[in-house]
Amino acid sequence: MAVDSRFYEHLGPVSLSEIVTLTGASYSGNGVVQIMDVAASRSAGRGEVCYYEGTKPPAPGDINPEASACFVTQKFADALPESVAALIVALPRYAHYIASRSLVRYRNWSEQAGQTEPTNVHESAKVSPGAVIGAGAAIGDRTIIGPNAVIGPGVQIGRDCEIGANASIQSALIGNYVKVYSGARIGESGFGVMPGPDGATDAPQFGRVILQDHVTVGSNSCVDRGAFDDTIIGEHTKIDNLCQIAHNVVVGRNVLMASFAGISGTVTIGDGVMLGGRVGIADHVQVGDGAQIAASAGVFREIPAGETWGGTPAKPLRQWMKEIAWINRQVESGKKK
Amino acid sequence: MAVDSRFYEHLGPVSLSEIVTLTGASYSGNGVVQIMDVAASRSAGRGEVCYYEGTKPPAPGDINPEASACFVTQKFADALPESVAALIVALPRYAHYIASRSLVRYRNWSEQAGQTEPTNVHESAKVSPGAVIGAGAAIGDRTIIGPNAVIGPGVQIGRDCEIGANASIQSALIGNYVKVYSGARIGESGFGVMPGPDGATDAPQFGRVILQDHVTVGSNSCVDRGAFDDTIIGEHTKIDNLCQIAHNVVVGRNVLMASFAGISGTVTIGDGVMLGGRVGIADHVQVGDGAQIAASAGVFREIPAGETWGGTPAKPLRQWMKEIAWINRQVESGKKK
Amino acid sequence: MAVDSRFYEHLGPVSLSEIVTLTGASYSGNGVVQIMDVAASRSAGRGEVCYYEGTKPPAPGDINPEASACFVTQKFADALPESVAALIVALPRYAHYIASRSLVRYRNWSEQAGQTEPTNVHESAKVSPGAVIGAGAAIGDRTIIGPNAVIGPGVQIGRDCEIGANASIQSALIGNYVKVYSGARIGESGFGVMPGPDGATDAPQFGRVILQDHVTVGSNSCVDRGAFDDTIIGEHTKIDNLCQIAHNVVVGRNVLMASFAGISGTVTIGDGVMLGGRVGIADHVQVGDGAQIAASAGVFREIPAGETWGGTPAKPLRQWMKEIAWINRQVESGKKK
């Protein structure tokens, strides 16, 4: 899947041999292949370069045979599909990042400093004093942008939305009737850290945020953009203040999320789920439709649809309550003896 | 209690028969009654419309007999005071919201886009570059408004206050010597979600925030305005960074609240209470004067005055400590066998 | 250690007898001594005034004999080094605060309202629309300041940094390749509360924040400045969204901190430490190099280097897991009986 050109400027093409030079990769194949874009290994296509950094050999599907090239360690170089050029390096994700800098450039805030393109703001929309609208952004009918809010380059906002004071939005597609309250941060880089040659290094984040119709995001909450794919919040989902939604999270419809929810990377939450305050969910966990999670729970594994869980580590609520009562009885009865 | 006209423009009067038409309510009484305002059912007066959405019949006092009209389900229509016109609908709170849109309009940020009224800023106050001051706001002697802060329409701020960079304040009355640090959000809509015909819907929030003298609110903390009543923070109360105070919370004087405090809707906290970091308190809970709550506690029921509690669910600290020690001993002794 | 004049304007000298008058201190020595600055008692030098508010008599080293004067209660007045003038008061820290107001003035946001000095922004740096740069701030090569960000007076930012939209930075020295994402708050006053004559009072915070090279601070996270010393984040340390780093915290290199980390005052964290989501660490705790702390842990005591801990209160992870499994077995087996 190509990177969205509304948010990333494509700088290429760059030949494979240039990429080999830039990254110091070991490669002996055809260097004239032209690379246009970066991608994740599962969805990379022709003209796209990806990376593989698993601890086991790639399984079928892990690397799309359509990919033009893939950074990989020596250990797994032979396990790539034959159609994919293996670029052998010590730090595949880091090499991919180095390559990405010559292929795509994030249209970040600097783009706005010299902003000349007219933006597409509907005449019935209201842009408050101090709000900054990036090049190529579009704002629909009757939408209100609060004072000192920042709408990044290329962001698309539908109609009848309300964006609060001092909120900021980037790399995002926003539906109709969406509310983003004051100070919320939509589309910032997520927390992706990779080893680099000198220490911990931020992995670039090429994806987007999609807020569907009637979503509300509370004050000072954060919804990070995806690493390659999208972070998606479904229709009518309501998010309280000071919540954190990490990259690649997919939240269903009519989900209620009380404050301090912490949804780690690549979590999937079904429709109609209810989260009490301060619920944390570990990365890659799936929560089934209609599940309910009690306040303060720390969820480390899948919650089946319709169940109610609580505690840390979370378990079915009845079981947690029973354990609490049992401990209480043991200690009380010990006291009496 | 009427909605504060500094924050809400009154659009009415609207006749009861018009409201019946707008909401599709079933009503057979006198439609010429004029409605001026929305209100909560306990405090609604003449010319005000309220709603009742309990699961049991309303008790005495739940619905003020002075109210002109009340949205209610068929089931409890006969339980209203005789003096109150019963507007029968399937979703009372939602119907009340629909009615509210023709009665009051939030003076939100859009008001500032065309701001022409002079605001009342004392000559000794300092408004930093980029700060936006809404129509009708007042700012007292020597108060400093930080750069890119946003003061909403009608907000009243006393003297010798400091409002930090990028902070935003709306629907709020603020005393003297108050500090609101950078990025704090005062007076945003709280997390009130009601069922609507198409899914979860935001319940409108008509109340205010009151910060009394010498209150300090930390960076990126949030204090939501009340649903109908006020959210109140008492004198000399000090709130750390990244805390969440929900709608209708009442906090006493000299309360110390370390970071990540999460105070749910309609909680009452007495004078001199001390909260360690990351304390969560469930909605409607009361915490007595002088209580102390250990860091990380999750409080689900009342804490009597002067007691010290901890754990999740919270209990008296000694009991929690005893349970922790007991479990530790059991597992340790098991290991030795 | 003197207060950094880039962030605090020195207003003195003020004679000791003037300070005695301002604070109502009891003092019978030489009042003509000139005081220039405030300081912490351990590092106060000639011409500096400090305070001592311990519950035990000061130990050797607690009060630098070089200090010119020290506010102290009657009880410990005789325990000061003989070379230090004892200013006897009921509330030493509060008296020190009163004295500080005639000695130093925070160059806060108000300084920017009348900003006339040219700031030192490198020609290759990009300052986005709406960003406010304080007097005396310096911004290095190719650094990008996002829209509506606020850079306070005297702040030094190196090269190749990215400061996000609506972020604010004050009292801080920032290295190269540093990223501060949207809405982050660097250098605000920390949560220091002292008793004052009328109730809880904010203790002034005279220190700084130092972000070393390659540090990343996530969206809406907060790093408070030190009380007297500095809050320091080491090279390549990566901090996720919505984290709180309190005053005087020292974080090592290559530390990874997932969202909702809460690091209380004066905590020390070694190199290469990894914190899961929502880890809280109580004040003054030390975490050794390479330690790992599981998500949701509440840490109340020292964690030795290289260990993995979890739970609340935190303990070695294996022990916590064992306790969880044991409780589960007890309650399960009880069910079967």
Side-chain angles (χ1 to χ4, degrees):
Chain A
M1 197 176 69
V3 163
D4 191 324
S5 62
R6 287 173 290 196
F7 309 122
Y8 287 86
E9 181 187 359
H10 285 87
L11 307 171
V14 176
S15 72
L16 202 47
S17 59
E18 283 176 86
I19 286 174
V20 164
T21 305
L22 281 168
T23 59
S26 169
Y27 174 62
S28 52
N30 176 2
V32 300
V33 171
Q34 295 295 298
I35 302 295
M36 302 295 296
D37 212 342
V38 291
S41 63
R42 286 177 165 272
S43 58
R46 280 295 95 186
E48 296 176 358
V49 61
C50 60
Y51 70 91
Y52 181 77
E53 208 168 68
T55 52
K56 287 182 287 191
D62 280 353
I63 297 166
N64 189 339
E66 294 295 311
S68 287
C70 182
F71 290 103
V72 65
T73 54
Q74 177 71 59
K75 192 171 172 188
F76 299 132
D78 293 340
L80 297 190
E82 283 204 15
S83 53
V84 179
L87 309 177
I88 299 171
V89 291
L91 298 169
R93 193 172 191 183
Y94 184 78
H96 188 257
Y97 155 62
I98 296 297
S100 78
R101 297 193 304 186
S102 60
L103 288 163
V104 295
R105 189 183 69 78
Y106 187 49
R107 298 183 189 278
N108 65 8
W109 311 120
S110 71
E111 188 119 334
Q112 301 179 294
Q115 169 187 344
T116 52
E117 294 179 48
T119 57
N120 186 11
V121 177
H122 191 271
E123 59 181 1
S124 64
K126 292 189 183 175
V127 177
S128 299
V132 175
I133 314 293
I139 296 170
D141 313 27
R142 294 172 301 281
T143 284
I144 297 169
I145 309 295
N148 289 336
V150 176
I151 310 300
V155 167
Q156 311 292 304
I157 301 181
R159 55 189 161 78
D160 295 298
C161 294
E162 295 175 27
I163 310 301
N166 299 100
S168 57
I169 304 182
Q170 54 188 307
S171 301
L173 307 179
I174 293 184
N176 303 321
Y177 307 102
V178 170
K179 293 178 192 146
V180 173
Y181 288 150
S182 304
R185 310 290 155 208
I186 309 296
E188 249 301 2
S189 275
F191 190 64
V193 181
M194 62 186 175
D198 303 320
T201 303
D202 297 308
Q205 305 287 311
F206 300 108
R208 305 177 299 187
V209 169
I210 294 174
L211 303 183
Q212 295 183 352
D213 293 354
H214 294 282
V215 163
T216 299
V217 178
S219 294
N220 285 350
S221 286
C222 303
V223 183
D224 292 335
R225 67 180 185 266
F228 287 99
D229 302 320
D230 296 329
T231 303
I232 302 172
I233 313 290
E235 287 178 21
H236 282 278
T237 282
K238 303 296 180 184
I239 298 172
D240 199 354
N241 298 345
L242 291 164
C243 292
Q244 154 68 2
I245 315 280
H247 49 200
N248 298 357
V249 166
V250 177
V251 178
R253 299 174 185 186
N254 284 297
V255 172
L256 305 188
M257 204 179 283
S259 63
F260 294 116
I263 314 300
S264 305
T266 320
V267 163
T268 303
I269 296 179
D271 294 342
V273 169
M274 294 178 66
L275 277 68
R278 204 184 297 278
V279 167
I281 306 184
D283 54 336
H284 291 84
V285 164
Q286 302 196 5
V287 177
D289 291 348
Q292 301 196 14
I293 310 180
S296 293
V299 180
F300 295 90
R301 58 198 177 90
E302 184 182 345
I303 298 185
E307 297 199 358
T308 300
W309 284 40
T312 303
K315 53 187 70 173
L317 188 70
R318 287 172 64 99
Q319 187 182 337
W320 182 49
M321 301 296 270
K322 205 178 291 179
E323 290 180 6
I324 288 167
W326 179 80
I327 293 167
N328 187 51
R329 278 197 310 275
Q330 300 304 309
V331 175
E332 284 295 305
S333 67
K335 197 162 59 181
K336 282 170 200 153
K337 280 173 199 172
Chain B
M1 198 176 69
V3 162
D4 191 325
S5 61
R6 287 172 291 196
F7 309 123
Y8 287 85
E9 181 186 0
H10 285 86
L11 307 171
V14 176
S15 72
L16 201 48
S17 60
E18 283 176 85
I19 286 175
V20 164
T21 304
L22 281 168
T23 58
S26 169
Y27 174 62
S28 53
N30 177 2
V32 300
V33 171
Q34 296 293 301
I35 302 294
M36 302 295 295
D37 212 341
V38 292
S41 63
R42 287 178 163 271
S43 58
R46 282 292 95 185
E48 296 177 357
V49 61
C50 60
Y51 70 92
Y52 181 76
E53 208 168 68
T55 53
K56 288 182 287 192
D62 279 354
I63 297 166
N64 189 339
E66 294 295 311
S68 288
C70 181
F71 290 102
V72 64
T73 54
Q74 178 70 62
K75 192 172 174 188
F76 299 132
D78 294 340
L80 297 191
E82 283 206 14
S83 52
V84 179
L87 309 178
I88 300 171
V89 292
L91 297 170
R93 194 173 191 183
Y94 184 78
H96 187 258
Y97 156 61
I98 297 298
S100 78
R101 297 193 303 185
S102 60
L103 288 163
V104 296
R105 189 183 68 76
Y106 187 49
R107 299 184 188 278
N108 66 7
W109 310 119
S110 70
E111 188 119 336
Q112 302 179 292
Q115 170 188 342
T116 52
E117 294 178 49
T119 56
N120 185 11
V121 177
H122 191 272
E123 61 181 1
S124 64
K126 292 187 183 177
V127 177
S128 301
V132 175
I133 314 292
I139 295 170
D141 312 28
R142 293 173 300 280
T143 284
I144 298 169
I145 308 296
N148 290 335
V150 176
I151 310 300
V155 167
Q156 310 292 304
I157 301 181
R159 56 189 162 78
D160 296 298
C161 294
E162 296 175 26
I163 310 302
N166 299 100
S168 56
I169 303 183
Q170 54 188 305
S171 300
L173 307 179
I174 292 183
N176 302 319
Y177 307 102
V178 169
K179 294 178 191 147
V180 173
Y181 287 150
S182 304
R185 310 290 157 209
I186 309 296
E188 249 303 3
S189 274
F191 190 64
V193 181
M194 62 185 173
D198 303 320
T201 302
D202 298 308
Q205 306 286 310
F206 299 108
R208 306 175 301 186
V209 169
I210 294 174
L211 303 183
Q212 296 182 351
D213 293 353
H214 294 283
V215 163
T216 299
V217 178
S219 295
N220 285 349
S221 285
C222 301
V223 182
D224 292 336
R225 67 180 185 266
F228 287 99
D229 302 320
D230 297 327
T231 304
I232 302 173
I233 313 291
E235 289 178 19
H236 282 280
T237 282
K238 303 297 181 183
I239 299 172
D240 199 354
N241 299 345
L242 292 164
C243 292
Q244 154 68 3
I245 316 278
H247 50 200
N248 299 359
V249 167
V250 177
V251 178
R253 299 174 185 186
N254 284 297
V255 172
L256 305 187
M257 205 179 281
S259 63
F260 295 117
I263 314 299
S264 304
T266 320
V267 163
T268 302
I269 295 180
D271 294 342
V273 169
M274 295 179 66
L275 277 68
R278 202 183 302 276
V279 167
I281 305 183
D283 53 338
H284 292 84
V285 165
Q286 302 196 5
V287 177
D289 290 349
Q292 302 196 15
I293 310 180
S296 293
V299 179
F300 295 91
R301 58 197 177 92
E302 185 183 344
I303 299 185
E307 297 200 358
T308 300
W309 285 40
T312 302
K315 55 187 69 172
L317 188 71
R318 286 173 64 99
Q319 186 183 338
W320 182 49
M321 302 295 271
K322 205 177 292 181
E323 291 180 6
I324 288 167
W326 179 80
I327 293 167
N328 186 50
R329 279 196 311 274
Q330 300 304 310
V331 175
E332 284 294 304
S333 68
K335 194 161 64 183
K336 283 169 199 155
K337 280 171 199 175
Chain C
M1 199 176 70
V3 162
D4 191 324
S5 61
R6 288 173 290 197
F7 308 123
Y8 288 85
E9 182 187 359
H10 285 86
L11 307 172
V14 176
S15 72
L16 201 47
S17 59
E18 283 177 87
I19 286 175
V20 164
T21 303
L22 281 168
T23 59
S26 171
Y27 174 62
S28 54
N30 177 2
V32 301
V33 171
Q34 296 294 300
I35 302 295
M36 303 295 296
D37 211 342
V38 292
S41 63
R42 288 176 164 273
S43 58
R46 281 293 95 186
E48 296 176 358
V49 60
C50 60
Y51 70 92
Y52 181 76
E53 208 167 67
T55 53
K56 288 183 287 192
D62 279 353
I63 297 167
N64 189 339
E66 294 295 313
S68 287
C70 182
F71 290 102
V72 65
T73 54
Q74 176 71 62
K75 192 172 173 186
F76 299 133
D78 293 341
L80 298 191
E82 283 203 16
S83 52
V84 179
L87 309 178
I88 299 171
V89 291
L91 297 169
R93 194 172 190 183
Y94 183 77
H96 187 258
Y97 155 62
I98 295 298
S100 77
R101 296 192 304 186
S102 59
L103 288 164
V104 296
R105 192 183 66 77
Y106 187 50
R107 298 183 189 278
N108 66 7
W109 311 120
S110 70
E111 188 119 333
Q112 301 179 294
Q115 171 187 343
T116 52
E117 295 178 46
T119 56
N120 185 10
V121 177
H122 191 272
E123 62 181 0
S124 64
K126 292 188 183 176
V127 177
S128 300
V132 174
I133 313 292
I139 296 170
D141 312 27
R142 294 172 300 281
T143 284
I144 298 170
I145 309 294
N148 290 337
V150 176
I151 310 300
V155 166
Q156 311 292 303
I157 301 181
R159 56 190 162 77
D160 296 297
C161 294
E162 296 176 26
I163 310 301
N166 299 100
S168 57
I169 304 183
Q170 54 188 308
S171 301
L173 307 179
I174 293 184
N176 303 320
Y177 307 102
V178 169
K179 294 177 192 148
V180 173
Y181 287 149
S182 304
R185 310 288 155 210
I186 309 296
E188 248 303 2
S189 274
F191 190 64
V193 181
M194 62 186 174
D198 302 321
T201 303
D202 298 309
Q205 305 286 311
F206 300 107
R208 307 176 300 187
V209 169
I210 295 173
L211 303 183
Q212 297 183 352
D213 293 353
H214 295 282
V215 163
T216 300
V217 178
S219 295
N220 286 350
S221 286
C222 301
V223 183
D224 292 335
R225 68 179 184 266
F228 287 99
D229 302 321
D230 297 328
T231 303
I232 303 172
I233 313 290
E235 289 178 20
H236 283 279
T237 281
K238 304 295 182 185
I239 298 172
D240 199 353
N241 299 346
L242 292 164
C243 292
Q244 154 68 2
I245 316 278
H247 49 199
N248 298 358
V249 166
V250 177
V251 178
R253 300 174 184 186
N254 285 295
V255 171
L256 305 187
M257 204 178 283
S259 63
F260 294 116
I263 314 299
S264 305
T266 320
V267 163
T268 303
I269 296 180
D271 294 342
V273 168
M274 295 178 66
L275 278 67
R278 204 183 300 276
V279 167
I281 305 183
D283 54 338
H284 291 84
V285 164
Q286 302 196 5
V287 177
D289 290 350
Q292 302 196 14
I293 310 180
S296 293
V299 179
F300 295 90
R301 58 199 177 92
E302 184 183 345
I303 299 186
E307 297 200 357
T308 300
W309 285 40
T312 302
K315 54 188 68 173
L317 189 70
R318 287 173 63 100
Q319 186 182 339
W320 181 50
M321 303 295 270
K322 206 178 291 178
E323 291 180 6
I324 288 167
W326 178 80
I327 294 167
N328 186 51
R329 279 197 311 274
Q330 301 303 311
V331 176
E332 284 295 305
S333 67
K335 195 161 62 184
K336 282 170 199 152
K337 279 173 198 172

